[in-house]
Every structure is written in C-alpha cells, then in structure tokens.
Amino acid sequence: IISQFGGPDGEIGASLRYLSQKYTMSNKRVSGLLNDIGTEELGHLEIVGALVQQLTDGLSPEEIKAALTLLSGLLYILNKL
C-alpha cells in the first residue's frame, strides 16, 4: 500500500506525470484533460492515506517498525526469485 502511495507506479508519480505533460500540449482541451486526470490522481492519495491510517491505527511504533522490517525482508526474498 505504501508503494501505491509514493512508489514508481504510485499515485504521486502518476499525478506528476499527467500534470507535467499538460504543459507540453498546445491543444487547450487536451491540456485541460491532463490537468483533470492529474488532479484526480492526487485525490487517490487521500484514499491510500486513509487505508494506511486504518491499518496502522492503534499500533505502537515498535509494532510498525517490526512489520516494516518483516515486509522489507519478504520483498528482498521476492526480488531474488
């Protein structure tokens, strides 16, 4: 979920791609469409943020660190396959 927030294919990256591409468009309608899509992608950040908050609500900092350590180890193993 965290990578969906700010990873390479996450919502921040998608919104920035759309919003930066709008400046290269000479057609105002296409530029406006890219602006709308980029703004919508930014709205998805709120959804992903709410998911993270709900999943971590009530956890102690130690529990969050332990979960991140476990997840990091699993991702390392998966990347080696």
Side-chain angles (χ1 to χ4, degrees):
I1 293 174
I2 294 293
S3 66
Q4 184 60 30
F5 191 82
D9 296 321
E11 301 299 336
I12 290 175
S15 63
L16 290 177
R17 282 189 294 275
Y18 285 116
L19 292 172
S20 63
Q21 288 174 3
K22 81 176 201 156
Y23 294 107
T24 64
M25 294 294 148
S26 57
N27 185 316
K28 294 290 185 189
R29 292 183 77 189
V30 175
S31 177
L33 178 62
L34 289 170
N35 187 65
D36 291 346
I37 294 170
T39 303
E40 181 68 25
E41 291 295 329
L42 286 173
H44 296 161
L45 290 173
E46 182 179 3
I47 296 168
V48 176
L51 284 171
V52 171
Q53 191 277 327
Q54 289 173 6
L55 290 171
T56 59
D57 189 35
L59 295 179
S60 70
E62 292 78 22
E63 291 172 318
I64 293 172
K65 287 178 188 176
L68 290 174
T69 302
L70 176 63
L71 179 61
S72 178
L74 289 173
L75 291 174
Y76 177 80
I77 291 168
L78 290 174
N79 284 327
K80 294 294 182 183
L81 295 178

Coordinates of all heavy atoms in Angstrom, one line a residue:
I1 N 0.8 -1.2 0.0 CA 0.0 0.0 0.0 C 0.9 1.2 0.0 O 0.6 2.2 -0.7 CB -1.0 0.0 1.2 CG1 -2.0 -1.1 1.0 CG2 -1.7 1.3 1.3 CD1 -2.9 -1.3 2.2
I2 N 2.0 1.2 0.7 CA 2.9 2.4 0.8 C 3.4 2.6 -0.6 O 3.5 3.8 -1.0 CB 4.0 2.2 1.8 CG1 3.4 2.1 3.2 CG2 5.0 3.2 1.7 CD1 2.8 3.4 3.7
S3 N 3.8 1.6 -1.3 CA 4.4 1.8 -2.7 C 3.3 2.4 -3.6 O 3.6 3.1 -4.6 CB 5.0 0.5 -3.2 OG 4.0 -0.4 -3.5
Q4 N 2.0 2.0 -3.4 CA 1.0 2.6 -4.2 C 0.8 4.1 -3.9 O 0.4 4.9 -4.8 CB -0.4 1.9 -3.8 CG -1.5 2.4 -4.7 CD -1.3 2.1 -6.2 OE1 -0.6 1.2 -6.6 NE2 -1.9 3.0 -7.0
F5 N 1.2 4.5 -2.7 CA 1.2 6.0 -2.4 C 2.3 6.7 -3.1 O 2.1 7.7 -3.8 CB 1.3 6.1 -0.9 CG 1.1 7.5 -0.4 CD1 -0.2 7.9 -0.2 CD2 2.1 8.4 -0.1 CE1 -0.5 9.2 0.3 CE2 1.9 9.6 0.4 CZ 0.6 10.1 0.5
G6 N 3.6 6.2 -2.9 CA 4.7 7.0 -3.5 C 5.7 6.2 -4.3 O 6.8 6.8 -4.6
G7 N 5.4 5.0 -4.6 CA 6.4 4.2 -5.4 C 6.4 4.6 -6.8 O 5.8 5.6 -7.2
P8 N 7.2 3.9 -7.6 CA 7.4 4.3 -9.0 C 6.1 4.3 -9.8 O 6.0 5.1 -10.8 CB 8.4 3.3 -9.5 CG 8.4 2.2 -8.6 CD 8.0 2.8 -7.3
D9 N 5.2 3.5 -9.5 CA 3.9 3.4 -10.2 C 2.8 3.9 -9.3 O 1.6 3.6 -9.5 CB 3.6 2.0 -10.7 CG 4.6 1.5 -11.7 OD1 5.0 2.4 -12.6 OD2 5.1 0.4 -11.7
G10 N 3.1 4.6 -8.3 CA 2.2 5.1 -7.3 C 1.4 6.3 -7.7 O 1.6 6.9 -8.8
E11 N 0.5 6.8 -6.9 CA -0.4 7.9 -7.2 C 0.4 9.2 -7.3 O 0.0 10.0 -8.2 CB -1.4 8.0 -6.1 CG -2.3 6.8 -5.9 CD -3.1 6.4 -7.1 OE1 -3.4 7.2 -8.0 OE2 -3.5 5.2 -7.2
I12 N 1.4 9.4 -6.5 CA 2.1 10.7 -6.7 C 2.8 10.7 -8.0 O 2.7 11.7 -8.7 CB 3.2 10.8 -5.5 CG1 2.5 11.1 -4.2 CG2 4.1 12.0 -5.8 CD1 3.4 11.1 -3.0
G13 N 3.5 9.6 -8.4 CA 4.1 9.6 -9.7 C 3.2 9.8 -10.9 O 3.5 10.5 -11.8
A14 N 2.0 9.1 -10.8 CA 1.0 9.2 -11.9 C 0.5 10.7 -12.0 O 0.4 11.2 -13.1 CB -0.1 8.3 -11.6
S15 N 0.2 11.3 -10.8 CA -0.3 12.6 -10.9 C 0.7 13.6 -11.4 O 0.4 14.5 -12.2 CB -0.8 13.1 -9.5 OG 0.3 13.1 -8.6
L16 N 2.0 13.4 -11.0 CA 3.0 14.4 -11.5 C 3.3 14.2 -13.0 O 3.5 15.1 -13.7 CB 4.3 14.1 -10.7 CG 4.3 14.6 -9.3 CD1 5.6 14.3 -8.6 CD2 4.0 16.1 -9.2
R17 N 3.2 12.9 -13.5 CA 3.3 12.7 -14.9 C 2.2 13.4 -15.7 O 2.5 14.1 -16.7 CB 3.3 11.2 -15.3 CG 4.7 10.6 -15.0 CD 4.7 9.1 -15.5 NE 3.8 8.2 -14.8 CZ 4.1 7.6 -13.6 NH1 5.2 7.8 -13.0 NH2 3.2 6.8 -13.1
Y18 N 1.0 13.3 -15.3 CA -0.1 13.9 -16.0 C 0.0 15.4 -15.9 O -0.2 16.1 -16.9 CB -1.5 13.5 -15.5 CG -1.9 12.1 -15.9 CD1 -2.0 11.1 -14.9 CD2 -2.2 11.8 -17.2 CE1 -2.4 9.8 -15.3 CE2 -2.6 10.5 -17.6 CZ -2.7 9.5 -16.7 OH -3.1 8.3 -17.0
L19 N 0.3 15.9 -14.7 CA 0.3 17.4 -14.5 C 1.5 18.0 -15.3 O 1.4 19.1 -15.8 CB 0.4 17.7 -13.1 CG -0.9 17.4 -12.3 CD1 -0.7 17.6 -10.8 CD2 -2.1 18.3 -12.8
S20 N 2.6 17.3 -15.4 CA 3.8 17.9 -16.1 C 3.5 17.8 -17.6 O 4.0 18.7 -18.4 CB 5.1 17.2 -15.7 OG 5.1 15.9 -16.1
Q21 N 2.8 16.7 -18.1 CA 2.6 16.6 -19.5 C 1.6 17.7 -20.1 O 1.7 18.0 -21.2 CB 2.0 15.2 -19.8 CG 3.0 14.1 -19.7 CD 2.4 12.7 -19.9 OE1 1.3 12.6 -20.1 NE2 3.2 11.7 -19.7
K22 N 0.8 18.2 -19.2 CA -0.2 19.2 -19.7 C 0.5 20.4 -20.2 O 0.0 21.1 -21.1 CB -1.1 19.6 -18.6 CG -0.6 20.6 -17.6 CD -1.7 20.9 -16.6 CE -1.4 22.3 -16.0 NZ -2.5 23.0 -15.5
Y23 N 1.7 20.7 -19.8 CA 2.4 21.9 -20.2 C 3.0 21.7 -21.6 O 3.4 22.7 -22.2 CB 3.5 22.3 -19.2 CG 2.9 22.7 -17.9 CD1 3.0 21.9 -16.8 CD2 2.3 24.0 -17.8 CE1 2.4 22.3 -15.6 CE2 1.7 24.3 -16.6 CZ 1.8 23.5 -15.5 OH 1.2 23.9 -14.3
T24 N 3.1 20.5 -22.1 CA 3.7 20.3 -23.4 C 2.6 20.3 -24.5 O 2.9 20.2 -25.7 CB 4.5 19.0 -23.5 OG1 3.6 17.9 -23.3 CG2 5.6 18.9 -22.4
M25 N 1.3 20.3 -24.1 CA 0.2 20.3 -25.0 C -0.2 21.6 -25.6 O -0.4 22.6 -24.8 CB -1.0 19.6 -24.4 CG -0.8 18.2 -24.0 SD -0.6 17.2 -25.5 CE 0.4 15.9 -24.9
S26 N -0.2 21.8 -26.9 CA -0.6 23.0 -27.5 C -2.2 23.1 -27.5 O -2.7 24.2 -27.5 CB 0.0 23.2 -28.8 OG -0.4 22.1 -29.7
N27 N -2.8 22.0 -27.5 CA -4.3 21.9 -27.6 C -4.8 22.1 -26.1 O -4.5 21.4 -25.2 CB -4.7 20.5 -28.1 CG -6.2 20.4 -28.3 OD1 -7.0 20.9 -27.4 ND2 -6.6 19.9 -29.4
K28 N -5.6 23.2 -26.0 CA -6.1 23.6 -24.6 C -7.0 22.5 -24.1 O -7.0 22.3 -22.8 CB -6.8 24.9 -24.7 CG -5.9 26.1 -25.0 CD -5.0 26.4 -23.8 CE -4.2 27.6 -24.1 NZ -3.2 27.8 -23.2
R29 N -7.8 21.8 -24.9 CA -8.7 20.8 -24.4 C -7.9 19.6 -23.9 O -8.2 19.0 -22.8 CB -9.7 20.4 -25.5 CG -10.6 21.5 -25.9 CD -11.6 21.0 -26.9 NE -12.6 20.2 -26.2 CZ -13.5 19.5 -26.8 NH1 -13.6 19.5 -28.1 NH2 -14.4 18.8 -26.1
V30 N -6.9 19.2 -24.6 CA -6.0 18.1 -24.1 C -5.3 18.5 -22.8 O -5.2 17.7 -21.9 CB -5.1 17.6 -25.2 CG1 -4.1 16.5 -24.7 CG2 -5.8 17.1 -26.4
S31 N -4.8 19.7 -22.8 CA -4.1 20.2 -21.6 C -5.1 20.2 -20.4 O -4.7 19.8 -19.3 CB -3.6 21.6 -21.9 OG -3.0 22.1 -20.7
G32 N -6.3 20.6 -20.6 CA -7.3 20.6 -19.6 C -7.6 19.2 -19.1 O -7.8 19.0 -17.9
L33 N -7.7 18.3 -20.0 CA -8.0 16.9 -19.7 C -6.9 16.3 -18.9 O -7.1 15.6 -17.9 CB -8.2 16.0 -21.0 CG -8.4 14.6 -20.8 CD1 -9.7 14.3 -20.0 CD2 -8.5 13.9 -22.1
L34 N -5.6 16.5 -19.3 CA -4.5 16.1 -18.5 C -4.5 16.7 -17.1 O -4.1 16.0 -16.1 CB -3.2 16.4 -19.2 CG -2.9 15.5 -20.4 CD1 -1.7 16.1 -21.2 CD2 -2.7 14.1 -20.1
N35 N -4.8 17.9 -17.0 CA -5.0 18.6 -15.7 C -6.0 17.9 -14.8 O -5.8 17.6 -13.6 CB -5.3 20.1 -15.8 CG -5.2 20.8 -14.5 OD1 -4.2 20.9 -13.9 ND2 -6.4 21.3 -14.1
D36 N -7.1 17.6 -15.4 CA -8.2 16.9 -14.7 C -7.8 15.5 -14.2 O -8.1 15.1 -13.1 CB -9.5 16.8 -15.5 CG -10.1 18.2 -15.8 OD1 -9.8 19.1 -15.1 OD2 -11.0 18.2 -16.7
I37 N -7.1 14.8 -15.1 CA -6.7 13.4 -14.7 C -5.6 13.5 -13.6 O -5.7 12.8 -12.6 CB -6.1 12.7 -15.9 CG1 -7.2 12.4 -17.0 CG2 -5.5 11.4 -15.5 CD1 -6.8 11.9 -18.3
G38 N -4.7 14.4 -13.7 CA -3.7 14.6 -12.7 C -4.3 15.0 -11.3 O -3.8 14.5 -10.3
T39 N -5.3 15.8 -11.4 CA -5.9 16.2 -10.1 C -6.7 15.1 -9.5 O -6.7 14.9 -8.3 CB -6.9 17.4 -10.4 OG1 -6.2 18.5 -11.0 CG2 -7.6 17.9 -9.2
E40 N -7.3 14.2 -10.4 CA -8.0 13.0 -9.9 C -7.0 12.1 -9.2 O -7.3 11.5 -8.2 CB -8.7 12.4 -11.0 CG -9.5 11.1 -10.6 CD -10.7 11.4 -9.7 OE1 -11.2 12.5 -9.8 OE2 -11.1 10.5 -9.0
E41 N -5.8 11.9 -9.8 CA -4.8 11.0 -9.3 C -4.4 11.6 -7.9 O -4.1 10.8 -7.0 CB -3.6 10.9 -10.2 CG -3.9 10.2 -11.5 CD -4.2 8.7 -11.3 OE1 -3.7 8.1 -10.3 OE2 -5.0 8.2 -12.1
L42 N -4.3 12.9 -7.7 CA -3.9 13.4 -6.4 C -5.0 13.1 -5.4 O -4.7 12.9 -4.2 CB -3.8 14.9 -6.5 CG -2.5 15.4 -7.2 CD1 -2.5 17.0 -7.3 CD2 -1.3 15.1 -6.4
G43 N -6.3 13.0 -5.8 CA -7.4 12.6 -4.9 C -7.2 11.2 -4.4 O -7.7 10.9 -3.3
H44 N -6.6 10.4 -5.2 CA -6.4 9.0 -4.8 C -5.4 8.9 -3.6 O -5.4 7.9 -2.9 CB -5.9 8.1 -6.0 CG -6.8 8.0 -7.1 ND1 -6.4 7.6 -8.4 CD2 -8.2 8.2 -7.2 CE1 -7.5 7.6 -9.1 NE2 -8.6 8.0 -8.4
L45 N -4.5 9.9 -3.5 CA -3.6 9.9 -2.3 C -4.4 9.9 -1.0 O -4.0 9.3 -0.1 CB -2.7 11.1 -2.4 CG -1.7 11.1 -3.5 CD1 -1.0 12.5 -3.5 CD2 -0.7 10.0 -3.3
E46 N -5.5 10.6 -1.0 CA -6.3 10.6 0.2 C -6.8 9.2 0.5 O -6.9 8.8 1.7 CB -7.5 11.6 0.0 CG -8.3 11.7 1.3 CD -9.5 12.7 1.1 OE1 -9.6 13.3 0.0 OE2 -10.2 12.9 2.1
I47 N -7.3 8.5 -0.5 CA -7.8 7.1 -0.3 C -6.7 6.2 0.3 O -6.9 5.5 1.2 CB -8.4 6.6 -1.6 CG1 -9.6 7.4 -2.0 CG2 -8.8 5.1 -1.4 CD1 -10.1 7.2 -3.4
V48 N -5.5 6.3 -0.4 CA -4.4 5.4 0.0 C -4.0 5.8 1.4 O -3.7 4.9 2.3 CB -3.2 5.5 -1.0 CG1 -2.1 4.7 -0.5 CG2 -3.7 5.0 -2.3
G49 N -3.9 7.1 1.7 CA -3.5 7.5 3.1 C -4.5 7.1 4.1 O -4.1 6.7 5.2
A50 N -5.8 7.1 3.8 CA -6.8 6.6 4.7 C -6.6 5.1 5.0 O -6.8 4.7 6.1 CB -8.2 6.9 4.2
L51 N -6.3 4.3 4.0 CA -6.0 2.9 4.2 C -4.9 2.7 5.1 O -5.0 1.8 6.0 CB -5.8 2.2 2.8 CG -7.0 2.0 1.9 CD1 -6.5 1.5 0.5 CD2 -7.9 0.9 2.5
V52 N -3.8 3.4 4.9 CA -2.6 3.3 5.8 C -3.0 3.6 7.2 O -2.6 2.9 8.1 CB -1.5 4.1 5.3 CG1 -0.3 4.2 6.3 CG2 -1.0 3.6 3.9
Q53 N -3.7 4.7 7.4 CA -4.1 5.1 8.7 C -5.0 4.0 9.4 O -4.8 3.7 10.6 CB -4.9 6.4 8.7 CG -5.1 7.1 10.0 CD -6.3 6.6 10.7 OE1 -7.3 6.2 10.1 NE2 -6.2 6.6 12.0
Q54 N -6.0 3.5 8.6 CA -6.8 2.4 9.2 C -6.1 1.2 9.6 O -6.3 0.5 10.6 CB -7.9 2.1 8.3 CG -9.0 3.2 8.1 CD -10.0 2.9 7.0 OE1 -10.0 1.8 6.4 NE2 -10.8 3.9 6.7
L55 N -5.1 0.8 8.7 CA -4.3 -0.4 9.0 C -3.3 -0.3 10.2 O -2.9 -1.2 10.8 CB -3.6 -0.8 7.7 CG -4.4 -1.4 6.6 CD1 -3.6 -1.5 5.3 CD2 -5.1 -2.7 7.0
T56 N -2.9 1.0 10.4 CA -1.9 1.2 11.5 C -2.5 1.8 12.8 O -1.8 2.0 13.7 CB -0.8 2.1 11.0 OG1 -1.3 3.3 10.6 CG2 0.0 1.4 9.9
D57 N -3.8 2.1 12.7 CA -4.4 2.7 13.9 C -4.3 1.8 15.1 O -4.7 0.6 15.1 CB -5.9 3.0 13.6 CG -6.6 3.8 14.7 OD1 -5.9 4.7 15.2 OD2 -7.8 3.6 14.9
G58 N -3.8 2.3 16.2 CA -3.7 1.5 17.4 C -2.4 0.8 17.6 O -2.2 0.1 18.6
L59 N -1.6 0.8 16.5 CA -0.3 0.1 16.7 C 0.7 1.0 17.3 O 0.7 2.2 17.2 CB 0.2 -0.3 15.3 CG -0.6 -1.3 14.5 CD1 0.1 -1.6 13.1 CD2 -0.7 -2.6 15.2
S60 N 1.6 0.3 18.1 CA 2.7 1.1 18.7 C 3.8 1.3 17.7 O 3.9 0.6 16.7 CB 3.2 0.3 19.9 OG 3.9 -0.9 19.4
P61 N 4.7 2.2 17.9 CA 5.8 2.4 17.0 C 6.6 1.2 16.8 O 7.1 0.9 15.7 CB 6.6 3.6 17.6 CG 5.6 4.3 18.4 CD 4.6 3.3 18.9
E62 N 6.8 0.4 17.9 CA 7.6 -0.8 17.8 C 6.9 -1.8 16.9 O 7.6 -2.5 16.1 CB 7.8 -1.4 19.2 CG 8.6 -0.6 20.1 CD 7.9 0.6 20.7 OE1 6.7 0.6 20.8 OE2 8.6 1.5 21.1
E63 N 5.6 -2.0 17.0 CA 4.9 -2.9 16.1 C 5.0 -2.5 14.6 O 5.1 -3.3 13.7 CB 3.4 -3.0 16.5 CG 3.2 -3.7 17.8 CD 1.7 -3.5 18.3 OE1 1.1 -2.5 18.2 OE2 1.2 -4.6 18.8
I64 N 4.9 -1.2 14.4 CA 5.0 -0.7 13.0 C 6.4 -1.0 12.5 O 6.6 -1.5 11.3 CB 4.7 0.8 12.9 CG1 3.2 1.0 13.2 CG2 5.0 1.4 11.6 CD1 2.8 2.5 13.4
K65 N 7.5 -0.7 13.3 CA 8.8 -1.0 12.9 C 9.1 -2.5 12.6 O 9.7 -2.9 11.6 CB 9.8 -0.5 13.9 CG 10.0 1.0 14.0 CD 10.9 1.4 15.1 CE 10.9 2.9 15.3 NZ 11.8 3.3 16.5
A66 N 8.5 -3.3 13.5 CA 8.6 -4.8 13.3 C 8.0 -5.2 12.0 O 8.5 -6.0 11.2 CB 8.0 -5.5 14.5
A67 N 6.8 -4.7 11.7 CA 6.1 -5.0 10.4 C 6.9 -4.6 9.2 O 7.0 -5.3 8.2 CB 4.7 -4.4 10.5
L68 N 7.4 -3.4 9.3 CA 8.2 -2.9 8.2 C 9.5 -3.7 7.9 O 9.9 -3.9 6.8 CB 8.6 -1.4 8.4 CG 7.4 -0.4 8.3 CD1 7.8 1.0 8.6 CD2 6.8 -0.5 6.9
T69 N 10.1 -4.1 9.0 CA 11.3 -5.0 8.9 C 10.9 -6.3 8.3 O 11.7 -6.8 7.4 CB 11.9 -5.2 10.3 OG1 12.2 -4.0 10.9 CG2 13.1 -6.1 10.2
L70 N 9.8 -6.9 8.7 CA 9.4 -8.2 8.1 C 9.1 -8.0 6.6 O 9.5 -8.8 5.8 CB 8.1 -8.7 8.8 CG 7.5 -9.9 8.3 CD1 8.5 -11.1 8.3 CD2 6.2 -10.2 9.0
L71 N 8.4 -6.9 6.3 CA 8.0 -6.6 4.9 C 9.2 -6.4 4.1 O 9.3 -6.9 2.9 CB 7.1 -5.4 4.8 CG 6.6 -5.0 3.4 CD1 5.8 -6.1 2.8 CD2 5.8 -3.8 3.5
S72 N 10.2 -5.7 4.6 CA 11.4 -5.4 3.8 C 12.1 -6.7 3.5 O 12.6 -6.9 2.4 CB 12.3 -4.5 4.7 OG 13.5 -4.3 4.0
G73 N 12.2 -7.7 4.5 CA 12.8 -9.0 4.3 C 12.1 -9.8 3.2 O 12.7 -10.4 2.4
L74 N 10.8 -9.8 3.3 CA 10.0 -10.5 2.3 C 10.2 -9.9 0.9 O 10.3 -10.7 -0.1 CB 8.5 -10.5 2.7 CG 8.1 -11.3 3.9 CD1 6.6 -11.0 4.2 CD2 8.3 -12.7 3.6
L75 N 10.2 -8.6 0.8 CA 10.5 -8.0 -0.5 C 11.9 -8.4 -1.1 O 12.0 -8.6 -2.3 CB 10.3 -6.5 -0.5 CG 8.8 -6.1 -0.3 CD1 8.8 -4.6 -0.1 CD2 7.9 -6.5 -1.4
Y76 N 12.8 -8.4 -0.2 CA 14.2 -8.8 -0.6 C 14.2 -10.2 -1.2 O 14.8 -10.5 -2.2 CB 15.1 -8.7 0.6 CG 16.5 -9.1 0.3 CD1 17.4 -8.3 -0.4 CD2 17.0 -10.4 0.7 CE1 18.7 -8.6 -0.7 CE2 18.3 -10.8 0.4 CZ 19.1 -9.9 -0.3 OH 20.4 -10.3 -0.6
I77 N 13.5 -11.1 -0.5 CA 13.5 -12.5 -0.9 C 12.7 -12.6 -2.2 O 13.2 -13.3 -3.2 CB 12.8 -13.4 0.2 CG1 13.7 -13.5 1.4 CG2 12.5 -14.8 -0.4 CD1 13.0 -14.1 2.6
L78 N 11.6 -11.9 -2.4 CA 10.9 -12.0 -3.6 C 11.6 -11.4 -4.8 O 11.5 -11.9 -5.9 CB 9.5 -11.2 -3.5 CG 8.5 -11.9 -2.6 CD1 7.3 -11.0 -2.4 CD2 8.1 -13.3 -3.1
N79 N 12.4 -10.4 -4.6 CA 13.2 -9.8 -5.6 C 14.4 -10.7 -6.1 O 14.9 -10.6 -7.2 CB 13.8 -8.5 -5.2 CG 12.7 -7.4 -5.3 OD1 11.8 -7.4 -6.1 ND2 12.8 -6.4 -4.4
K80 N 14.7 -11.7 -5.2 CA 15.8 -12.6 -5.6 C 15.3 -13.8 -6.4 O 16.1 -14.5 -7.0 CB 16.5 -13.1 -4.3 CG 17.3 -12.1 -3.6 CD 18.4 -11.6 -4.4 CE 19.2 -10.5 -3.7 NZ 20.3 -10.0 -4.5
L81 N 14.0 -14.0 -6.4 CA 13.4 -15.1 -7.1 C 13.4 -14.9 -8.6 O 13.3 -13.9 -9.2 CB 11.9 -15.4 -6.7 CG 11.8 -15.8 -5.2 CD1 10.3 -15.9 -4.9 CD2 12.5 -17.1 -4.9

